[in-house]
Amino acid sequence: MCKLYGDTATDYIPAPPRLRKNIKRSRGKAARDAHFSEARNAEFVEFCRSTGLRRSEIKALTGDKLEKGADGYWYINVNKMTKGGRPRKVRIIGTDEAIARIVERMQNAGSGRVFEKIPSCDIHGYRSEFATAVYMQYARPVKSLPPEERYCCRFERAGIWYDRKALLETSLQLGHNRVCVVGEHYLNI
């Protein structure tokens, strides 16, 4: 009927608001993490925290996607294996030792997969840690910014202000391209 009249279903049945407290992923301890040991999977956890890749992206990742940028930083080309097929370059972050271990692992993989088996764990939580670290690298003091360069969260996080440029860079690294997603769902500051 909606198609016939040119309406949408929300014209008749309003959609409930999406609240942060109702989102189940990465909001504390996940049930699947009960038998997951971060100590035994330290290399995988370090990789996730340093790259912020999704589970599907890690599954499809091969060693030849590694690239050194003109700025001297290491990047991972995430092309066609990402959600929506949007290509992006993800900068590897972390300590110099952690970056060196990740680069070595990817170079050793060559054109093969970087991880043959992905452990069952809450990777989205590590993406949140990555997002927070990237934001902190680019963030400027919010109080000194003009209003158009600040982002104010809505709903449950109303009144929390972030640097809009830092949010956009973080969003691009995560593959979302929208500042509201990062500010309201990923950052834990």
Side-chain angles (χ1 to χ4, degrees), residues 44-63:
F44 180 75
V45 170
E46 179 180 68
F47 187 89
C48 291
R49 285 181 175 148
S50 297
T51 61
L53 298 178
R54 296 176 176 97
R55 180 180 298 276
S56 61
E57 294 167 346
I58 295 173
K59 280 182 184 176
L61 184 64
T62 57

Side-chain angles (χ1 to χ4, degrees), residues 3-188:
K3 192 173 186 180
L4 179 67
Y5 291 109
D7 297 332
T8 63
T10 56
D11 292 335
Y12 303 102
I13 305 169
R18 294 185 65 188
L19 301 175
R20 184 179 170 100
K21 68 178 181 181
N22 296 337
I23 297 173
K24 301 294 182 206
R25 66 181 181 275
S26 303
R27 302 289 179 239
K29 293 288 182 190
R32 68 172 161 224
D33 288 345
H35 301 291
F36 178 74
S37 169
E38 282 195 3
R40 278 189 270 159
N41 296 293
E43 191 175 356
F44 180 75
V45 170
E46 179 180 68
F47 187 89
C48 291
R49 285 181 175 148
S50 297
T51 61
L53 298 178
R54 296 176 176 97
R55 180 180 298 276
S56 61
E57 294 167 346
I58 295 173
K59 280 182 184 176
L61 184 64
T62 57
D64 56 1
K65 302 292 188 213
L66 183 68
E67 171 185 304
K68 188 154 190 166
D71 55 4
Y73 295 113
W74 288 98
Y75 292 89
I76 297 175
N77 285 316
V78 185
N79 298 330
K80 298 180 184 174
M81 61 184 185
T82 186
K83 186 175 177 180
R86 292 181 299 241
R88 72 182 198 275
K89 285 187 178 181
V90 177
R91 184 175 148 202
I92 301 172
I93 64 168
T95 64
D96 291 338
E97 297 82 20
I99 293 171
R101 285 190 292 271
I102 291 169
V103 167
E104 181 182 357
R105 182 176 185 97
M106 291 194 68
Q107 288 173 340
N108 290 342
S111 60
R113 299 214 187 276
V114 177
F115 289 97
E116 291 300 322
K117 185 176 179 186
I118 309 297
S120 177
C121 65
D122 183 22
I123 291 178
H124 203 271
Y126 300 131
R127 278 175 58 83
S128 176
E129 292 177 31
F130 172 80
T132 303
V134 171
Y135 175 80
M136 295 307 288
Q137 285 182 345
Y138 292 99
R140 302 170 291 176
V142 177
K143 291 184 180 183
S144 65
L145 297 175
E148 63 273 5
E149 291 186 22
R150 291 182 282 182
Y151 176 78
C152 181
C153 292
R154 301 174 293 155
F155 305 117
E156 296 162 83
R157 303 198 74 196
I160 298 175
W161 293 83
Y162 291 116
D163 177 1
R164 187 175 289 275
K165 287 184 180 180
L167 280 180
L168 181 60
E169 180 60 36
T170 305
S171 183
L172 293 172
Q173 291 287 314
L174 290 171
H176 282 290
N177 303 326
R178 292 189 334 229
V179 295
C180 63
V181 174
V182 175
E184 295 174 13
H185 298 287
Y186 280 92
L187 297 184
N188 293 318

